[in-house]
Structure formats: structure tokens, C-alpha cells
């Protein structure tokens, strides 16, 4: 029971954490990517489609990253080079992704009725750790993407907090005009952050279809990208905070399954709403501005 | 964004939505070709399903109605640079309020019953939007994130209501008790679903136009939207405006949800909105945030929604194709509205002028 709950928590937390780490980089550079849900969805679908038609898990993961990077590149052209409104552009990408993946899915699989399934990513047991009671299988016998997600946490923490590059990235998000005046190249930094975030969103989507569900249903992301946005806020733009918040929200989502199985009096919708409600409480308590990058979401154009 | 409402000064402002629509349709034709479907047949099926016969036409108007309400909600909020992504949640809460109050109105005079249901929906939506306005004004919290979070809370609240406290007694299917007949909207010509709520939507569009462009409060809102710092300097209370504007925006969306319950569904289901609050962003942007144009824009997108059902039946193309159109239209319109594009257009314009007046082409070319 407990190990099933832990396993479910990790499965729920992994795609959220991957996407949130990418969103952290983007927000540090001063951009808010509402389109992250769409990038994940595109990654989920095209990753599965590639794995299915080419029979290769590796190609599937590459395709997932490629699709999400393409989505973020569209966003980069609009919000970095053309300085359009980030929120509206991101929302449009979310709508577009639901439409595109739905249409492709129906054309490819709707008529044939073939099952759109692939074999699940193999689980890698980490030696004797995997044999530990209760925590062994949920924590130490998972797909490579789970280990990757948590391994990236210190990497992002180091890059953003301890390197010269991270300093530049944060400068682009705190005061882009000053950063440009210093010759840091705000446009390039923001492009790089969006591309890196595309890779991570693609991996998040790939996890959903290649390691978790092993199939695709329309709108399979079901708001996980928006939970990732929430995780960045609740985790206070700190990679370690993001990992904790992802696990917390993952646990809330996992509880839902457990409760339905147990048939408790508590409505399962309560737990589905929890990540969003908790984020609102955090926003109301701490406010939005304390740890957020100063220029977050402001259109910035070099010419003006 | 700021140039949105300046249609009078910019003769191209009204042409750009049409250009964006044309470009989106062209791109979709390419996608359809790539998928092995015939664009001509798909578009013909869309048209047939939207305007082909009396039923299709009335269905288009029925599907346009919630888009007028949510489109106006977006127009009000976006005019003040308040990025309300939560019209969907506000609509759901409006529907929920209407569906909760409606069953209690048995025996009431019908006009009063209808009014109470609609007002409940507007109040519910106003609270849902107003909270986000308050968070922005008093907690320096981006309304973008809070409205998105509120959407998901609203969805779960509705799901809980139709599985729990409002569930109909038989309990066979997640739906609520039907609202009292006294709370149901009059119908113009049954079995068609044409109803007076459409006239209400029309009236509200005019009302929003006069409010935004002819009233002091509307002027203050637009002033904040255009230049927050200058407006605040001249004494516009930014916090108070954010709160009432988000509440008004939520009320409009909530009213849309209440109308849906009052006139069409008569009860609550787990899914009350197919994404009208998001689609409304496309509706409002194509209308340049001008409430007068929102009706036309809503009918266009409502026609797509209506036609997509027929398209699915005859051509086997997923109805979510219309979301591809919505997404592309917004993206293309955003790009066309940027200064970079204006400069491009101006240089073309100057080149055209230069060649028309017989001057040297080189002079126009170096613009």
C-alpha cells in the first residue's frame, strides 16, 4: 500500500519536476512560459508517435524533445525577437498544441482503431538499494527519466546560483536593459533558456507517454504544465524547493488514487484541486513579487 | 497590445485580423494535405455544418452565445492590461451558482426566476474573478497565475458538486438536479434553441462598448492598460481598478455560464465548458478588444465550433481542428501587431508610393 503510494507519488512528481526546472531557467531569464503545457503535450504525442512508428525508444525521446523545442522556438521568435505579450502567446501555444496533437492523433489512429501502445521504458534497479523494504522499488527501481529529473536538480542549482552563466541569466531576468548595456546578450540568453526548457518539457512529455501511460489520450498532460508553473512559485524559484514542491504536489495527486480505492468520505476532487489551491494560498501569503525575477513577463525590446 | 483599440488611427488595424484568419486557414490546409485529408472537402463540411441549413444556423448562434459573454470578459480585462486567463473558471462558477440556485425556484414567477439564476451566475463569476483582482492589487500577485489556478479549482469544485451535494437523486450519472421550470429561459422557436439570452449578449456588447469608450471608469481602465505609470501618476487608483475590472470581467463570464444552464442544459454536468474561456482570447483579439466587433467574432468562432461537428461526421477529422485555427490566429495576429511588422509594412508602402509617383525605386527601397 505505502510502496504503491510512493511509486505513484514519484510517477506524478517526475514530469512536473522536469517541466518546472525548465520553467525556472526561463523565468530566471525574465520570461513566463504559459505555453509549457502545450510543449509538454506536443512532446508526449510526438514522442510516442516516433517510438511507435520507428520502434525505438531513443528516437521517441529525441522526437519528444524536438517537438517541445519547436514549440518553444515559436514562442522565442514571438516573445524574444518580436516582444509580443508573453501570456497571450503562451496561451495560444497551449490551445494550438491541444488542437494539433488531437488532429494528428485522430488521423493516425482514429480510423484504424489500432491500439496506440508502446512497451514501457525499462525500470533500472539501483543494485541493493532497490531491495530495501517499502522504499526500494518506488525510489530505486524507476525509469531513467526519474533519476534524470532528480539528478538535474543540483545541476540547475549550480548553473543558476554558482556560475557566471547563471549570473548573466538572472541579469537578463532582473534588468534586461542593464544586462544588454553590459553586452550580455539578453536575446541570446532568453533563447537559450527557452531551448533548454524545451528539452526538459519534451522529456516531461516523453515520461508521460513512454514511461507512465504507454499510450496517448487527448490532452494527456491534463494541466501538469500549469502545475509546473505553480511548483516554480511554491518552490520560490529555488531548484531544491522545486523538487520538494513537485513531490508534495505529486503526493497530493497520488493520494487521489489511494482514496478512490479506499472509498473514504473525503472527495477525491479535493486532492486534485490541492496543488492549485495551495499555490493560491502561497501567493496570497507571500505575494508574487518577493523572490520572482523583477522583469518577469515584461516584454523587452532592445530598440526601445 | 496597446495599439489594439486604436482602430481609428491605424487603417490596417481591422485588416490584420482578416489577414491572420486567411494565413491560419492556409496553414491548416497544408496540415490537412500532409495528413492526407482534402482541405476543400473539410472546409466545405465546416461551412455546411455552420450555415448549411436552419438547424446548422441556429446551432451556430447557440454556440456563439457563450463566446460573446467570455469574449466581452476578455475584452474588459485585456483593455486594462489585466491578463485574465481565467474566464473558463469564472464561467464554470457562474454555471455552478446558477445550477445550485435554480432547483430552489419552483413556484416563483418565471421572469423573476430567470433573473435570479442569471444574477447568481454573474455574482459567482464576479467573486471568482474579483479574488484574482484583489490578489493582484493587494498581494502583488500576477493575475495570470492566479486565474489559471482558479480555473482548475473551479473544475474540481464543479466535479465535486455533480458527484456530491448537487447530484440528482438517482445518482446514476454525474449530473445535478434540474433547475425549476420557473428558472428556465424562454425559447423563441422550439425545438431550436434560439432564445432571448442572445439578445442579452448583444445588449451587453453595446453596454460594454459604451462603458469602455464613453465612461470615466472605462477611460481609467484603458488608461491603465495603455500606460500604467502615467495613469497612476494622474491619479487613477490602479489597485481599485484591478479589483473591479477583474470582478466585472468575471461577472460577464459567469453570466455566460448561467445562461448556458438557464437556456440550454438546465442542469450541471461534469464538463460545462469545452474551453470557451480560452477560445474567448481568440474571439477578443480578432475583435481588437472592441465590444462591437466581438459579436461578429464570436459568431465566426461559434460557426467553427458548430461546423466542426459536421466535419467530424462526414470527413472524420477531429473537431479539435478548430483549436488549431484559434491558436494560429492568435499567434499570427500577435506577430502582425508588432512594430517590426509595421516597419516592414511601411517600407513596402513607401516603396509602392514611390513607384506609383514615378520616383526612383532606390529611394523607396532604402526605407
Amino acid at each position: 500500500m505505502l510502496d504503491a503510494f510512493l511509486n505513484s507519488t514519484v510517477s506524478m512528481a517526475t514530469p512536473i519536476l522536469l517541466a518546472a526546472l525548465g520553467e525556472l531557467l526561463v523565468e530566471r531569464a525574465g520570461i513566463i512560459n504559459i505555453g509549457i503545457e502545450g510543449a509538454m503535450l506536443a512532446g508526449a504525442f510526438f514522442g510516442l508517435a516516433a517510438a511507435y512508428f520507428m520502434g525505438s525508444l531513443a528516437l521517441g525521446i529525441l522526437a519528444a524533445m524536438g517537438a517541445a523545442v519547436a514549440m518553444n522556438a515559436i514562442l522565442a521568435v514571438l516573445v524574444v525577437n518580436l516582444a509580443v505579450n508573453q501570456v497571450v502567446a503562451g496561451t495560444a501555444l497551449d490551445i494550438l498544441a491541444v488542437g494539433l496533437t488531437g488532429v494528428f492523433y485522430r488521423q493516425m489512429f482514429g480510423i484504424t482503431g489500432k491500439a496506440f501502445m508502446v512497451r514501457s521504458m525499462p525500470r533500472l534497479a539501483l543494485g541493493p538499494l532497490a531491495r530495501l523494504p517499502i522504499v526500494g522499488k518506488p525510489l530505486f527501481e524507476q525509469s531513467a527519466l526519474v533519476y534524470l529529473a532528480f539528478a538535474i536538480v543540483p545541476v540547475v542549482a549550480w548553473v543558476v546560483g554558482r556560475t557566471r552563466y547563471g549570473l548573466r541569466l538572472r541579469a537578463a531576468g532582473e534588468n534586461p536593459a542593464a544586462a544588454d548595456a553590459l553586452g550580455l546578450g539578453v536575446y541570446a540568453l532568453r533563447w537559450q533558456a527557452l531551448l533548454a526548457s524545451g528539452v526538459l518539457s519534451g522529456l516531461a512529455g516523453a515520461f508521460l507517454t513512454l514511461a507512465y501511460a504507454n499510450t496517448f489520450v487527448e490532452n494527456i498532460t491534463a494541466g501538469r504544465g500549469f502545475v509546473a508553473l505553480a511548483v516554480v512559485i511554491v518552490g520560490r524559484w529555488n531548484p531544491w524547493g522545486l523538487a520538494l514542491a513537485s513531490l508534495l504536489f505529486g503526493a497530493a495527486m497520488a493520494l487521489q488514487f489511494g482514496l478512490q480505492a479506499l472509498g473514504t468520505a473525503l472527495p477525491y476532487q479535493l486532492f486534485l484541486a490541492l496543488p492549485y489551491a495551495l499555490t493560491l494560498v502561497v501567493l496570497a501569503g507571500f505575494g508574487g513579487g518577493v523572490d520572482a525575477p523583477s522583469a518577469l513577463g515584461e516584454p523587452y525590446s532592445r530598440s526601445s | 497590445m496597446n495599439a489594439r483599440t486604436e482602430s481609428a488611427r491605424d487603417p490596417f488595424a481591422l485588416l490584420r485580423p482578416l489577414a491572420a484568419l486567411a494565413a491560419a486557414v492556409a496553414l491548416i490546409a497544408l496540415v490537412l494535405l500532409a495528413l492526407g485529408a482534402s482541405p476543400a472537402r473539410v472546409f466545405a463540411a465546416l461551412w455546411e455544418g455552420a450555415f448549411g441549413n436552419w438547424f446548422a444556423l441556429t446551432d451556430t448562434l447557440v454556440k456563439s452565445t457563450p463566446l460573446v459573454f467570455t469574449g466581452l470578459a476578455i475584452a474588459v480585462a485585456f483593455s486594462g492590461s489585466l491578463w485574465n486567463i481565467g474566464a473558463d473558471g469564472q464561467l464554470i462558477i457562474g454555471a455552478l451558482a446558477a445550477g445550485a440556485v435554480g432547483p430552489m425556484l419552483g413556484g416563483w414567477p418565471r421572469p423573476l426566476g430567470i433573473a435570479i439564476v442569471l444574477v447568481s451566475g454573474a455574482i459567482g463569476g464576479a467573486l471568482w474573478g474579483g479574488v484574482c483582482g484583489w490578489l493582484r492589487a493587494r498581494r502583488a500577485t500576477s493575475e495570470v497565475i492566479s486565474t489559471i489556478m482558479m480555473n482548475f479549482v473551479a473544475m474540481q469544485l464543479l466535479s465535486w458538486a455533480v458527484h456530491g451535494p448537487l447530484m440528482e437523486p438517482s445518482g446514476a450519472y454525474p449530473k445535478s438536479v434540474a433547475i425549476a421550470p420557473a428558472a428556465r429561459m424562454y425559447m423563441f422557436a422550439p425545438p431550436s434553441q434560439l432564445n432571448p439570452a442572445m439578445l442579452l449578449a448583444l445588449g451587453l456588447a453595446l453596454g460594454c462598448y459604451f462603458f469602455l469608450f464613453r465612461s470615466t471608469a472605462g477611460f481609467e481602465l484603458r488608461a491603465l492598460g495603455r500606460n500604467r505609470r502615467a495613469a497612476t501618476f494622474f491619479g487613477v487608483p490602479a489597485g481599485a481598478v484591478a479589483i473591479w475590472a477583474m470582478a466585472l470581467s468575471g461577472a460577464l463570464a459567469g453570466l455566460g455560464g448561467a445562461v448556458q444552464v438557464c437556456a440550454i442544459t438546465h442542469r450541471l454536468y461534469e464538463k460545462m465548458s469545452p474551453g470557451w474561456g480560452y477560445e474567448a482570447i481568440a474571439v477578443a483579439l480578432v475583435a481588437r478588444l472592441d465590444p462591437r466587433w466581438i459579436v461578429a467574432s464570436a459568431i465566426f468562432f461559434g460557426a467553427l465550433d458548430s461546423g466542426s461537428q459536421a466535419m467530424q461526421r462526414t470527413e472524420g477529422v477531429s473537431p479539435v481542428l478548430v483549436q488549431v485555427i484559434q491558436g494560429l490566429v492568435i499567434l499570427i495576429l500577435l506577430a502582425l501587431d508588432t512594430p517590426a511588422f509595421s516597419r516592414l509594412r511601411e517600407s513596402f508602402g513607401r516603396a509602392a508610393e514611390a513607384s506609383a509617383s514615378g520616383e526612383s525605386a532606390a529611394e523607396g527601397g532604402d526605407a
Side-chain angles (χ1 to χ4, degrees):
Chain A
M1 187 67 217
L2 189 60
D3 57 340
F5 168 68
L6 274 178
N7 186 45
S8 197
T9 299
V10 172
S11 294
M12 290 289 149
T14 298
I16 295 169
L17 177 59
L18 282 166
L21 287 167
E23 180 67 21
L24 174 84
L25 294 175
V26 171
E27 292 196 7
R28 277 298 183 198
I31 289 178
I32 181 153
N33 181 10
I34 306 291
I36 191 165
E37 171 86 6
M40 262 173 95
L41 185 58
F45 175 78
F46 289 103
L48 183 68
Y52 180 87
F53 287 112
M54 298 192 256
S56 155
L57 201 60
L59 285 177
I61 291 174
L62 271 178
M65 294 194 291
V69 165
M71 294 285 287
N72 278 19
I74 296 174
L75 189 75
V77 169
L78 285 167
V79 305
V80 178
N81 300 91
L82 296 176
V84 309
N85 184 284
Q86 299 172 7
V87 174
V88 179
T91 310
L93 282 172
D94 290 332
I95 300 173
L96 182 67
V98 171
L100 269 185
T101 55
V103 169
F104 273 78
Y105 175 63
R106 190 70 62 91
Q107 291 307 112
M108 287 175 176
F109 294 93
I111 311 146
T112 61
K114 267 185 299 190
F116 191 14
M117 300 268 301
V118 292
R119 226 152 30 102
S120 185
M121 276 183 81
R123 286 175 170 248
L124 310 172
L126 295 187
L129 286 174
R131 287 194 293 276
L132 288 171
I134 300 173
V135 297
K137 270 180 100 73
L139 300 189
F140 304 109
E141 193 175 339
Q142 286 285 2
S143 75
L145 286 177
V146 174
Y147 304 131
L148 183 67
F150 287 90
I152 293 173
V153 172
V155 176
V156 171
W158 178 73
V159 168
V160 172
R162 296 264 178 274
T163 66
R164 190 178 280 271
Y165 183 78
L167 197 62
R168 290 190 194 133
L169 202 62
R170 283 183 284 144
E174 295 294 338
N175 192 338
D180 249 343
L182 290 171
L184 297 183
V186 170
Y187 283 15
L189 285 163
R190 290 182 164 187
W191 259 94
Q192 288 154 12
L194 274 167
L195 293 182
S197 160
V199 168
L200 291 169
S201 301
L203 288 174
F207 178 85
L208 285 177
T209 48
L210 297 176
Y212 180 66
N214 308 321
T215 186
F216 182 84
V217 291
E218 284 183 30
N219 202 14
I220 191 172
T221 42
R224 285 183 175 85
F226 297 125
V227 177
L229 284 174
V231 155
V232 176
I233 293 166
V234 174
R236 310 314 288 169
W237 288 268
N238 175 328
W240 299 103
L242 263 56
L244 272 179
S246 300
L247 284 169
L248 180 69
F249 288 179
M253 292 159 104
L255 260 182
Q256 178 237 141
F257 301 119
L259 285 177
Q260 269 173 316
L262 285 173
T264 66
L266 281 173
Y268 69 88
Q269 291 90 356
L270 186 68
F271 293 91
L272 286 180
L274 201 63
Y276 310 103
L278 197 61
T279 305
L280 285 165
V281 171
V282 169
L283 283 174
F286 292 87
V290 189
D291 303 318
S294 314
L296 184 59
E298 304 271 333
Y300 167 70
S301 172
R302 199 169 277 161
S303 52
S304 62
Chain B
M1 283 281 70
N2 297 339
R4 275 281 137 65
T5 43
E6 283 189 357
S7 45
R9 242 181 275 168
D10 179 359
F12 290 91
L14 291 173
L15 282 177
R16 269 179 258 149
L18 296 178
L21 288 173
V25 166
L27 277 172
I28 279 165
L30 289 178
V31 171
L32 287 171
L33 277 176
L35 287 167
S38 153
R41 290 186 48 160
V42 168
F43 291 139
L46 265 176
W47 177 266
E48 185 66 22
F51 301 111
N53 52 55
W54 170 248
F55 172 79
L57 199 62
T58 59
D59 189 52
T60 289
L61 291 176
V62 167
K63 291 209 158 68
S64 308
T65 307
L67 289 176
V68 176
F69 287 103
T70 50
L72 291 172
I74 297 293
V76 166
F78 280 22
S79 291
S81 287
L82 294 163
W83 309 110
N84 180 10
I85 312 297
D88 220 52
Q90 291 143 18
L91 178 140
I92 287 172
I93 294 300
L96 185 57
V101 171
M104 302 179 218
L105 298 172
W108 287 61
R110 198 165 172 196
L112 198 59
I114 293 172
I116 291 176
V117 162
L118 296 186
V119 169
S120 311
I123 292 174
L127 287 174
W128 217 245
V131 165
C132 299
W134 180 84
L135 279 171
R136 178 184 161 124
R138 304 284 176 254
R139 285 285 178 270
T141 291
S142 150
E143 74 283 3
V144 175
I145 298 292
S146 64
T147 51
I148 291 175
M149 298 300 128
M150 294 286 271
N151 282 342
F152 285 91
V153 176
M155 267 168 52
Q156 298 305 333
L157 207 58
L158 173 67
S159 168
W160 169 68
V162 298
H163 281 102
L166 297 180
M167 192 176 199
E168 61 155 6
S170 81
Y173 187 77
K175 61 181 183 185
S176 74
V177 183
I179 61 172
R184 294 181 192 179
M185 185 64 79
Y186 298 98
M187 288 286 142
F188 281 142
S192 91
Q193 292 176 313
L194 293 179
N195 66 75
M198 296 164 184
L199 300 179
L200 175 66
L202 213 58
L204 273 176
L206 281 177
C208 284
Y209 170 75
F210 281 105
F211 172 75
L212 279 178
F213 292 97
R214 295 281 184 272
S215 77
T216 311
F219 175 78
E220 290 187 342
L221 178 66
R222 288 187 301 120
L224 273 175
R226 189 158 304 183
N227 189 333
R228 198 181 147 79
R229 194 175 301 182
T232 315
F233 179 78
F234 285 109
V236 178
V241 173
I243 294 173
W244 68 247
M246 283 299 294
L248 176 61
S249 177
L252 287 162
L255 194 54
V259 160
Q260 197 64 17
V261 171
C262 179
I264 309 296
T265 65
H266 297 158
R267 60 173 89 230
L268 298 168
Y269 294 91
E270 202 163 9
K271 265 192 116 50
M272 288 305 296
S273 166
W276 283 317
Y278 302 100
E279 188 171 5
I281 296 173
V283 170
L285 291 187
V286 166
R288 317 263 80 183
L289 303 187
D290 184 331
R292 292 171 303 177
W293 286 101
I294 278 178
V295 177
S297 180
I299 290 175
F300 172 80
F301 284 99
L304 284 179
D305 289 340
S306 174
S308 68
Q309 308 293 332
M311 175 194 75
Q312 179 184 24
R313 277 195 303 276
T314 60
E315 301 300 315
V317 174
S318 169
V320 291
L321 182 73
V322 300
Q323 277 164 293
V324 183
I325 301 181
Q326 293 162 19
L328 284 176
V329 166
I330 300 175
L331 291 174
I332 296 168
L333 204 47
L334 284 174
L336 294 187
D337 278 340
T338 54
F341 179 79
S342 302
R343 279 196 297 276
L344 198 70
R345 195 191 67 226
E346 274 161 25
S347 64
F348 275 125
R350 250 172 284 159
E353 253 172 55
S355 57
S357 61
E359 287 173 30
S360 73
E363 201 180 317
D366 66 2

